[in-house]
Amino acid sequence: MNIHPPSAEEKLGFDVVRGRLAEHLISPLGEDRLAAMRPARDPAALRAELDRVSELQQVLRFDDPLPLDAVLDVRAVLRSAAPEGAYVGATDLWDVHRVAATARRLKEYFERRRDKYPALGRRLRRLAPLPDFEAHVRAIIEPGGAVRDDASPELARLRRQIGRTQARLRETLMAALRSAIGEGYATEEQPTIRNGRMVIPVRAEAKRKVQGFVHDTSASGQTVYIEPAASLDLNNELRELEGEERREVERILRAATALLRQDLPDMQENVRTLAAFDLVQAKARLANELDAVVPQLVDEAVLDIRAGRNPVLLLHFRRQAEEADAAPRAVVPLDLTLGVGYRTLVITGPNAGGKTVAMKTAGLFALMLAYGLPLPLDPTSRLGLFTRLFVDIGDEQSIEEDLSTFSSHVANLKKMLAEADEGSLILIDEAGTGTDPAEGGALAQAVLERLTEAGARTIATTHHGTLKVFAHQTEGIENGSMAFDRATLSPTYRFRAGVPGSSYAFDIARRIGLGGDLLDRARALVGEQQTALEDLVATFDARSQALAEKLAEAERLLAEAEKEKAEYETRMARLKKDADHIRKQALEEAERVVRESNAQIERTIREIKEAQAEREATLKARAELEAFKERVGKRQQKVERRLEQRRRDRLRREAGEPAAPRRPAETAPPARAGGALGVGDQVVLDGGTTAAEILEIERDEALVALGSMKMRVDLGRLTKVGGPRKQQVTIRQTAGGDVPALRARPRIDLRGQRVDEALGAVERFLDEALAAGLPRAEILHGKGTGALREAVHDYLAASPHVASFADAPIDQGGAGVTIAQLA
């Protein structure tokens, strides 16, 4: 993207975004990348960068911390190490080692997550681990940057010898110093070092009293530093040993530098990749700070912004809130479309109503997108990559070049007209101002006509009424305005497409206090037609706002209704499924009872035979058992037919066909003694004395309730003893005064709780969810040490009410949230 003029980024507010981006960088490497950052020209490269930033947003929100311990600028060190035979210091080698270790850990981090973050994984494949170099540096250099004593056997020997020589030298010096103090020639009690040799301080007047060599004099001249003759040889020996130590250290560092030199291309690529990653992570942190997302990137030069919030205002209000320790002000979202149905947008309305802010927001979004930055808007928004951005905003007068504001404005228009094409985005603030209103309006209209013909996407703000009519009458050009509350004469900062805006000049002047006679005179000077037009626009404006509010409320109510309908249908489907499941389980249990009973009867028959009992009793027992088995089999067939019918109905609904008609239930036969049976009748079973109530009749069976127990029995076994009872409604409260199903919620937050406390909360949470018929439950436990997550998973694995569970998707919390599917 080419940008004109050079101050365009500052005029749109991108300098604020760039400054905040710099605060999120962690190294000079990233600072250099930011300084060299340019808007993208290749849509494929832009998509790749946005994918990386978007993935890193998810990493920063939901995954383990990034291993960015050391992203250091070691480029100068690598240049110093490049010449053959050169070597670098121990501290510099340690810094290079830290960068190499960071590169290795970062690559390993994303290799373990390549399926979750493919774009980052592809970019970081360039990182080259240098395990041999890392191990060698750790073996010879301590973390503080000093060469280790055991870096080589020779160095260890030299340093041991140096230590012994220093101890002997100190003893000799201390003896000479004590002697000098005893003679009154010295007062200080510790030797010191001058010119690399150990000496003792002696009074200046006694310097000839102590045998040795004077190496230095104090600033006051009252003390001289003498190397006693007795320590001369030891000092010489120490200097020789230190020289050998330096040469050995240099040899060790040269060998390490030579090892680095072999890996220099890989290390340089590591530095470049880490520099680029630093900028990407800064973009991701800024995007998370703004709650920004990557919009749909399209190939056309289009701006389709939905619920966009100006990033500069977001950052400004957030900083104000932090300073005042308060909640930040809300930014009014912007819905603005350009390049879909029309190419030019003319925004009108009163001063301070938000026209320029809306235009700047659109331009800033286009610019941020070209720089590979996510945007604070709805993810369904669509934006394209523009090839050129022209901005004509604000005062550009120049004393040096003798340009007035209008001359500068015309110069910008000239460049726009010469270079604009279908890939250009043009922003013109206060079009037609700075000169005679009639001439300025005509010039602005001519310019907009030419830009529209060239196919450029243009946004222009203006107060000229002629441009409102021009936009209404010209194909490819659309009116737009900022909503204004006429009752309070205050801006709402909400953009409306297709609606011209009034200036409200007379209304605002009256509110401020200008006299009515003066305003009447002003209206007369403007003319009745112009005044009537402004009043008409204002009235249309007010009605449009009222309709928009009612439409928004209707859409909200519709969305709530559709949501409740979907929840109801889901719950009903689950209840039907549960009912069928329970019936099937009951039949299976009945079969099991029959099998056990059959085995028991067989044993009884065998005992009867052995006891030579009556054959008639045996046959009767077997017949009753067979009859019971037959009834259970019939019931099972009915349930299976019902399940099959429901499956067929579901398939017909999915195919758009009507459900098959149901066969009417057969009429119940008359009872043996008490008339025909009906739902609600009081009956006794098999001539018993305890009354039960008929809940349901289906063909030759009835569902009856006997106390808290329900069962299905043949109608022939029932005798009617009374009609339906008078209905009574009793409202019962559970402990605590509420119903668990009404307390049910789809999500619980356990963060900060102990394991035993959390598991109790999970148990209550699942009970309420099951009572409400919820299909799934979300448990937010965080990542932390992982102990709480593991305990929750163990509990869910053992629960008979949980069908399955798994970590939430990355965009819903990842490993910090568990989603349980309820059985």
Side-chain angles (χ1 to χ4, degrees):
M1 176 189 285
N2 295 321
I3 302 174
H4 178 82
S7 60
E9 289 191 359
E10 183 179 353
K11 289 181 178 298
L12 294 177
F14 188 73
D15 57 325
V16 177
V17 176
R18 187 187 287 270
R20 185 57 179 159
L21 195 59
E23 294 176 11
H24 287 296
L25 295 169
I26 60 176
S27 76
L29 296 172
E31 294 171 2
D32 288 349
R33 294 287 295 205
L34 176 60
M37 183 175 67
R38 296 291 180 269
R41 297 186 180 183
D42 178 14
L46 177 60
R47 283 190 175 91
E49 177 72 357
L50 289 170
D51 286 344
R52 290 190 287 267
V53 176
S54 179
E55 287 182 0
L56 199 50
Q57 283 185 260
Q58 305 307 312
V59 173
L60 295 173
R61 281 175 173 162
F62 306 116
D63 221 315
D64 297 329
L66 288 169
L68 294 176
D69 302 325
V71 182
L72 308 174
D73 187 0
V74 295
R75 290 172 293 184
V77 178
L78 298 181
R79 286 193 296 270
S80 299
E84 194 67 34
Y87 76 97
V88 295
T91 301
D92 290 338
L93 277 173
W94 184 254
D95 286 346
V96 175
H97 154 271
R98 292 178 63 197
V99 174
T102 297
R104 172 180 51 79
R105 287 194 290 267
L106 191 63
K107 183 171 185 176
E108 292 171 350
Y109 181 96
F110 284 101
E111 281 182 345
R112 292 193 299 268
R113 298 165 173 82
R114 64 170 63 94
D115 294 336
K116 294 165 68 175
Y117 314 117
L120 285 168
R122 287 191 296 271
R123 182 64 177 86
L124 296 177
R125 275 203 297 262
R126 301 180 184 181
L127 292 172
L130 307 176
D132 294 341
F133 172 74
E134 283 188 59
H136 184 75
V137 172
R138 285 196 301 272
I140 65 171
I141 300 175
E142 294 177 347
V147 177
R148 298 170 58 96
D149 291 346
D150 58 353
S152 74
E154 178 63 12
L155 184 61
R157 183 191 67 78
L158 288 171
R159 287 186 173 175
R160 286 195 300 271
Q161 193 167 347
I162 287 171
R164 290 193 293 267
T165 303
Q166 285 176 337
R168 290 163 52 202
L169 179 58
R170 178 171 289 277
E171 292 176 1
T172 303
L173 287 171
M174 288 302 297
L177 183 58
R178 285 193 293 271
S179 175
I181 292 173
E183 297 290 339
Y185 304 148
T187 58
E188 297 184 29
E189 299 182 354
Q190 288 295 330
T192 186
I193 296 178
R194 286 293 186 274
N195 300 323
R197 301 179 74 88
M198 297 191 70
V199 297
I200 62 174
V202 177
R203 296 180 188 277
E205 62 271 17
K207 63 182 179 181
R208 301 188 184 281
K209 303 291 187 180
V210 178
Q211 291 184 355
F213 302 91
V214 177
H215 282 273
D216 200 1
T217 303
S218 66
S220 64
Q222 296 182 1
T223 302
V224 296
Y225 298 95
I226 298 176
E227 179 183 3
S231 65
L232 179 62
D233 291 340
L234 287 174
N235 256 326
N236 289 339
E237 182 181 348
L238 182 60
R239 292 292 293 272
E240 291 174 1
L241 289 171
E242 289 173 345
E244 292 181 32
E245 179 197 21
R246 282 193 300 274
R247 288 189 291 274
E248 178 62 14
V249 167
E250 180 180 325
R251 185 193 66 78
I252 292 170
L253 296 178
R254 284 185 188 279
T257 305
L259 186 60
L260 171 61
R261 192 177 301 114
Q262 295 175 8
D263 297 326
L264 206 55
D266 287 340
M267 193 63 209
Q268 289 169 337
E269 180 59 35
N270 286 346
V271 171
R272 286 191 293 269
T273 303
L274 288 176
F277 188 83
D278 188 11
L279 182 56
V280 172
Q281 69 86 26
K283 289 180 179 180
R285 292 183 191 278
L286 176 61
N288 284 346
E289 182 181 5
L290 297 173
D291 291 327
V293 298
V294 176
Q296 298 178 25
L297 190 60
V298 297
D299 295 330
E300 302 83 12
V302 167
L303 286 176
D304 183 11
I305 300 170
R306 303 177 188 180
R309 293 163 295 136
N310 188 284
V312 176
L313 292 179
L314 287 173
L315 293 173
H316 176 68
F317 291 159
R318 185 162 298 179
R319 187 155 294 177
Q320 276 187 337
E322 290 173 355
E323 293 173 355
D325 193 21
R329 286 175 54 187
V331 176
V332 178
L334 171 70
D335 294 331
L336 184 148
T337 300
L338 183 67
V340 180
Y342 55 88
R343 297 186 293 276
T344 300
L345 177 64
V346 177
I347 305 179
T348 53
N351 288 324
K355 302 189 302 295
T356 302
V357 173
M359 181 177 64
K360 284 185 174 182
T361 301
L364 182 56
F365 278 179
L367 188 58
M368 289 177 63
L369 184 72
Y371 275 114
L373 287 165
L375 307 175
L377 42 59
D378 190 276
T380 59
S381 303
R382 301 183 303 128
L383 282 84
L385 176 62
F386 291 88
T387 57
R388 290 181 175 86
L389 174 63
F390 297 97
V391 177
D392 183 36
I393 298 176
D395 190 353
E396 288 285 354
Q397 62 183 343
S398 170
I399 296 175
E400 292 81 1
E401 299 181 11
D402 194 22
L403 290 176
S404 67
T405 302
F406 181 70
S407 298
S408 174
H409 174 68
V410 172
N412 284 336
L413 294 179
K414 178 182 177 183
K415 188 170 182 65
M416 293 174 185
L417 292 169
E419 299 182 11
D421 58 16
E422 293 184 353
S424 301
L425 175 61
I426 297 176
L427 309 177
I428 304 174
D429 193 31
E430 299 297 348
T433 59
T435 187
D436 177 78
E439 295 179 354
L443 178 62
Q445 179 174 332
V447 169
L448 293 179
E449 285 177 347
R450 186 68 60 82
L451 292 174
T452 304
E453 291 172 359
R457 275 51 172 171
T458 305
I459 302 177
T461 67
T462 185
H463 284 286
H464 286 286
T466 57
L467 293 182
K468 302 176 190 177
V469 179
F470 162 68
H472 177 70
Q473 296 176 343
T474 307
E475 185 178 357
I477 304 179
E478 184 65 89
N479 270 306
S481 62
M482 306 305 295
F484 197 76
D485 190 336
R486 194 173 188 183
T488 62
L489 294 182
S490 58
T492 66
Y493 303 108
R494 295 192 179 277
F495 174 79
R496 297 167 306 161
V499 182
S502 172
S503 65
Y504 293 95
F506 295 147
D507 293 332
I508 295 173
R510 179 180 291 107
R511 173 62 62 89
I512 293 175
L514 288 181
D517 55 345
L518 186 145
L519 294 180
D520 292 340
R521 174 58 178 161
R523 288 179 179 272
L525 291 173
V526 169
E528 293 183 2
Q529 255 189 340
Q530 180 65 27
T531 303
L533 176 62
E534 286 295 321
D535 289 342
L536 182 62
V537 169
T539 301
F540 178 73
D541 189 6
R543 291 180 179 178
S544 177
Q545 289 188 55
L547 288 174
E549 291 173 359
K550 289 181 179 179
L551 178 61
E553 178 65 15
E555 289 176 345
R556 185 186 65 81
L557 294 175
L558 178 61
E560 290 180 358
E562 289 178 345
K563 181 180 178 182
E564 291 179 0
K565 178 184 176 184
E567 292 177 353
Y568 171 78
E569 290 177 348
T570 300
R571 187 169 296 182
M572 287 300 297
R574 180 177 178 80
L575 289 174
K576 290 179 180 178
K577 181 179 177 182
D578 289 348
D580 290 338
H581 181 66
I582 291 171
R583 289 191 184 101
K584 193 170 183 179
Q585 282 186 327
L587 288 174
E588 291 174 353
E589 177 66 15
E591 283 187 337
R592 184 186 63 80
V593 171
V594 168
R595 286 195 300 270
E596 294 177 355
S597 301
N598 192 26
Q600 180 63 38
I601 291 296
E602 292 293 340
R603 286 194 297 270
T604 304
I605 290 173
R606 187 169 56 254
E607 292 173 358
I608 291 174
K609 287 181 177 180
E610 292 173 355
Q612 296 182 353
E614 296 182 2
R615 184 170 179 275
E616 184 178 347
T618 303
L619 293 175
K620 182 180 180 182
R622 184 182 294 276
E624 290 179 355
L625 179 62
E626 292 297 329
F628 179 66
K629 288 174 62 177
E630 183 179 357
R631 289 197 300 271
V632 171
K634 289 181 180 179
R635 180 60 187 158
Q636 185 175 13
Q637 291 175 3
K638 292 176 183 178
V639 171
E640 290 174 351
R641 286 198 300 270
R642 187 180 296 112
L643 291 174
E644 177 63 19
Q645 183 63 44
R646 288 182 179 174
R647 187 185 68 82
R648 292 175 180 173
D649 289 347
R650 186 178 69 253
L651 293 176
R652 289 192 180 97
R653 286 195 300 272
E654 293 174 353
E657 301 174 1
R662 302 295 178 90
R663 290 189 303 169
E666 297 177 4
T667 305
R672 287 177 300 179
L677 296 177
V679 174
D681 286 347
Q682 306 298 306
V683 296
V684 294
L685 177 64
D686 295 334
T689 59
T690 303
E693 181 179 352
I694 297 179
L695 301 179
E696 178 184 311
I697 295 177
E698 185 175 354
R699 296 184 179 84
D700 57 351
E701 285 186 343
L703 175 67
V704 299
L706 183 62
S708 60
M709 182 177 64
K710 296 178 183 178
M711 67 184 77
R712 286 191 177 274
V713 298
D714 291 337
L715 291 175
R717 299 174 61 192
L718 301 178
T719 302
K720 181 176 178 180
V721 296
R725 290 180 178 175
K726 185 177 180 181
Q727 297 294 315
Q728 292 183 345
V729 178
T730 303
I731 299 176
R732 298 180 180 177
Q733 280 191 318
T734 59
D738 62 348
V739 181
L742 299 180
R743 294 196 305 267
R745 55 200 191 282
R747 188 180 178 94
I748 187 173
D749 190 346
L750 305 176
R751 290 176 297 181
Q753 299 185 23
R754 298 187 308 274
V755 170
D756 54 347
E757 178 185 6
L759 294 182
V762 170
E763 183 178 6
R764 293 190 297 274
F765 169 65
L766 292 181
D767 288 342
E768 294 166 5
L770 289 165
L774 296 182
R776 61 178 237 163
E778 298 182 12
I779 303 171
L780 174 58
H781 43 65
K783 287 178 282 191
T785 62
L788 184 54
R789 174 177 178 271
E790 184 178 353
V792 169
H793 283 194
D794 290 343
Y795 178 88
L796 296 177
S799 173
H801 305 301
V802 177
S804 64
F805 61 90
D807 290 342
I810 289 297
D811 57 352
Q812 297 178 26
V817 178
T818 295
I819 297 179
Q821 303 295 333
L822 302 182

